[in-house]
Amino acid sequence: MKSIWITRWLHWKKQLISLLFWLFLPLFGTIIIIQAAHAFQEDAQIPIGLVLHDDSPFAQQLYSDIAASPFVQVQILQEKDALKQLEAHDLDSVFVIEEDYGEQIQKGNRKNVITAYRSDLSFAYSPIKEMVVSLVQQETGRSKAAFYVMRLAEKYPPYEKRWSWEEITSKSKEIQKEEDLLTSTFSFFGETKKQGSSSRLWDPNPWGIWGLFLILSTFFLFDWMVKEREKKLTSRFAFMRISFSAYLLGNAFLYLLLFLIIDSLSFVILQRIYDSSISTELFLSIITFRWMTVAGSFIIALCVKNIYTLYGTGLAIVLLFAITSGVILPTDLFPNSMGWVYTYHPITYLLHNKPIWNWLALFLFIIALWYIRKENSNAPSKWHS
Amino acid sequence: MLQVNGIHKRFGRNTVLNQLTFSAVDGEIIGLVGENGAGKSTLLKLLATLDLPDAGSITLEGKSYTKQLKEVRKRIGFVPQDIVLWEHFTVAENMRFFEKLSWTKKSTTALQSLCAQMKLDKWEEKVSTLSGGMKRKLNLAISMIHDPKLLLLDEPTVGIDLKSRKEIGAYLQKEAKENNKIILYTSHDMDEIIHLCDRVICIGEDQFYHDLLIREGKSCLLLT
């Protein structure tokens, strides 16, 4: 193994920059993609101003509901400042919640509770106004319904329990939340929260993105196998202490060790950035995923004859996984009959922090068969000619 | 001693080698000549254990090619026609790379001395900057790292200048005469063969073989 390490080091030191680039691509690629996605989504949000003249819970609730929308960026301002910013076109529109907003909502009155301002460049005014109006209508409707229930209870005694307005509206909100009538089921594999509860339109799992970059970088780094077979180096190995198949396996093992060092570092860094807890399940999942990717790249590199086929295969696999894994596209786009794809999808294991033993075992079995066949061959060079 | 007994090789319906028998003693240089497609490279591959004969047997220093393959391979040095080198490595790095995977451990001084014996002195230069002759020398030097008993060369001097050709020839003669190596090599250059070899095996059409003894670099004596 020491001999293989020295011979590999002779190669690595000649291509150190390229090697480091591909080794750290999964880590930096993930950070860049996720930060870019977040930054883009923040930039894409429409800035609106909200002036709160009423400090009732209803006004606070309306503010929270508007702020929860992934499409808008809400700023609480004084009316004067808000209008100044609107004139300067720093804000798309301004909504003023009037003094008696809470009182009027409780009464079920929807007239003149909010004043809205727009400029000649307010391109998103109409949809935002519709959203605000629907939220107000929702609250007034709920309030009206609560008063109606209370009146019915008074009108048709006997009743076992008298419900307060607060109890009725809070029960109504509870039911709405449970039934989730207006929340889309748009979801990504591995996400623990639904889109409805996220403040972002696209909030990808960092390990999903990392997994895709990892596959790409492993394929590109495994071009050494194709290059060394292309060189007809195998004819020399017949007269060497180490067989060509052992040389390939030894080198793949060295790459695996190097990858695992970088992956451990990536694990700590990504956990720090995106999640505070260090999970052993995730770490095991990462190790097995990397091992599986190395084994898979090894098998494919054995099958192809030029590096461009290897690169193309790597890109195709990454593209296929990006589409089918749920990391980039929502899984709802695919029919239920394709559920088995997700069950056995390598990225799914990573997203669910599960070790990927089945694929790893399959690939190792194929490699073992190949190795035994080569070692038993009387003329080992035959297979590559 | 190398002993080849009645080897037979065919590819599909095409018989390339038929009942070929010859032997080579220590210190002997044998040239393999014949037209393209006559079977020179096939014979060299069989002798190098890179292919198996359909029939017949080969032994090297009493070791059977089929029963003691590993032991036989330790004793063979094969110089392929293609230059198999790492172009982005220096001469030193190429020698170090193959030494690490070789049967024998050799110091840097020993490797450097091996190169110097064939007048390959550009130790720290990148292979990509070397001339064709220098690359051929390095190709040969790598095959000599484990000090093989039998050296098989497939057109080792093709496409190189006269000076490099003479230097390689001188090295091979020294290895055969002073270190008792058995050397077999193919070439299309009859002048080189007559000058360098002790014997020539001519592989003719229809698997007809002549074993010629060369004397004083000029006349040939038909043995079989």
Side-chain angles (χ1 to χ4, degrees), chain A residues 3 6-7 10-11 13-14 228 231-233 236-242 247 378-382, chain B residues 48 50-52 69 73 76 78 82 84-86 88-89 93 97-98 100-103 105 139 143:
Chain A
S3 308
I6 293 169
T7 55
L10 285 171
H11 282 289
K13 70 176 186 182
K14 297 278 172 189
E228 291 180 21
K231 283 195 79 71
K232 297 182 179 171
L233 195 73
R236 285 212 190 276
F237 273 86
F239 314 103
M240 287 182 183
R241 188 167 43 87
I242 297 163
Y247 169 80
N378 197 33
S381 61
K382 271 184 179 176
Chain B
L50 296 175
D51 207 346
L52 286 167
L69 182 67
R73 282 182 167 176
I76 295 175
F78 180 64
D82 298 314
V84 184
L85 301 169
W86 298 112
H88 60 296
F89 281 9
E93 285 166 340
F97 180 93
F98 289 104
K100 282 292 158 198
L101 304 172
S102 165
W103 291 105
K105 295 282 156 210
N139 210 29
S143 304

Side-chain angles (χ1 to χ4, degrees), chain B residues 15 23 46 70-71 78-79 91 107 117 120 125 129 133 144 150 171 202 204:
Chain B
T15 300
S23 62
L46 294 179
K70 199 173 167 182
E71 288 303 310
F78 180 64
V79 185
V91 171
S107 66
Q117 283 175 48
L120 174 57
E125 277 200 33
T129 64
M144 296 299 292
L150 172 65
Y171 173 77
C202 296

Side-chain angles (χ1 to χ4, degrees), chain A residues 266-317:
Chain A
S266 306
F267 173 74
V268 173
I269 293 171
L270 290 177
Q271 283 287 92
R272 285 264 170 119
I273 296 174
Y274 300 111
D275 192 356
S276 57
S277 61
I278 299 276
S279 143
T280 43
E281 287 83 10
L282 177 62
F283 188 64
L284 188 62
S285 176
I286 286 168
I287 288 175
T288 52
F289 185 80
R290 169 61 88 178
W291 200 356
M292 180 214 68
T293 312
V294 167
S297 307
F298 186 89
I299 293 167
I300 291 171
L302 278 179
C303 299
V304 300
K305 285 191 174 175
N306 72 68
I307 52 169
Y308 300 107
T309 314
L310 182 73
Y311 298 156
T313 309
L315 282 168
I317 289 173

Side-chain angles (χ1 to χ4, degrees), chain B residues 173-204:
Chain B
Q173 273 188 326
K174 183 176 155 287
E175 281 298 304
K177 305 308 166 202
E178 290 178 16
N179 297 322
N180 281 326
K181 309 273 187 216
I182 304 167
I183 298 173
L184 266 96
Y185 86 95
T186 64
S187 179
H188 286 288
D189 186 341
M190 276 312 289
D191 284 345
E192 186 182 86
I193 293 274
I194 288 170
H195 177 74
L196 198 66
C197 299
D198 303 308
R199 274 166 62 201
V200 179
I201 295 175
C202 296
I203 303 177

Side-chain angles (χ1 to χ4, degrees), chain A residues 17-229:
Chain A
I17 293 170
S18 150
L19 178 71
L20 289 174
F21 171 79
W22 289 110
L23 282 175
F24 284 100
L25 178 73
L27 174 64
F28 293 122
T30 305
I31 294 171
I32 290 167
I33 290 280
I34 292 184
Q35 297 303 329
H38 290 175
F40 176 76
Q41 285 175 72
E42 275 161 23
D43 285 350
Q45 285 177 325
I46 300 151
I48 65 164
L50 202 64
V51 180
L52 291 171
H53 285 162
D54 183 45
D55 58 356
S56 68
F58 294 97
Q60 289 300 326
Q61 180 64 43
L62 180 64
Y63 162 62
S64 307
D65 289 344
I66 297 171
S69 167
F71 305 103
V72 294
Q73 189 187 13
V74 186
Q75 291 178 50
I76 299 285
L77 298 162
Q78 293 298 319
E79 190 166 354
K80 199 179 163 188
D81 292 337
L83 295 177
K84 208 173 168 183
Q85 286 193 34
L86 181 67
E87 278 175 26
H89 304 296
D90 289 338
L91 295 174
D92 184 82
S93 44
V94 172
F95 295 86
V96 181
I97 299 176
E98 301 296 355
E99 263 178 45
D100 55 349
Y101 173 79
E103 205 179 308
Q104 295 296 329
I105 290 293
Q106 261 189 314
K107 288 178 186 170
N109 185 4
R110 295 179 300 194
K111 282 184 182 170
N112 302 324
V113 288
I114 291 176
T115 307
Y117 295 91
R118 59 186 287 191
S119 72
D120 53 344
L121 293 178
S122 299
F123 72 95
Y125 172 74
S126 294
I128 294 170
K129 181 196 75 181
E130 289 303 322
M131 182 183 77
V132 173
V133 167
S134 77
L135 289 170
V136 172
Q137 276 181 336
Q138 179 184 288
E139 284 308 306
T140 52
R142 197 193 317 273
S143 188
K144 251 185 178 174
F147 280 122
Y148 193 70
V149 170
M150 285 166 71
R151 272 208 298 276
L152 283 174
E154 281 169 12
K155 198 174 175 183
Y156 299 105
Y159 46 84
E160 287 174 4
K161 189 193 171 195
R162 177 177 288 228
W163 291 298
S164 67
W165 180 90
E166 286 79 13
E167 280 176 322
I168 297 168
T169 51
S170 113
K171 185 70 185 171
S172 161
K173 284 177 186 171
E174 201 180 300
I175 292 168
Q176 185 188 351
K177 200 176 174 186
E178 278 172 11
E179 293 188 351
D180 217 9
L181 288 174
L182 292 172
T183 304
S184 162
T185 55
F186 186 86
S187 62
F188 295 96
F189 260 105
E191 281 189 346
T192 50
K193 55 189 177 187
K194 288 188 172 178
Q195 174 64 30
S197 61
S198 171
S199 63
R200 291 191 176 99
L201 283 171
W202 187 54
D203 202 9
N205 184 310
W207 294 109
I209 303 287
W210 179 83
L212 294 174
F213 273 117
L214 180 144
I215 295 170
L216 188 71
S217 70
T218 311
F219 269 88
F220 274 70
L221 278 175
F222 261 68
D223 60 355
W224 62 271
M225 273 183 67
V226 184
K227 285 177 186 168
E228 291 180 21
R229 280 170 55 217

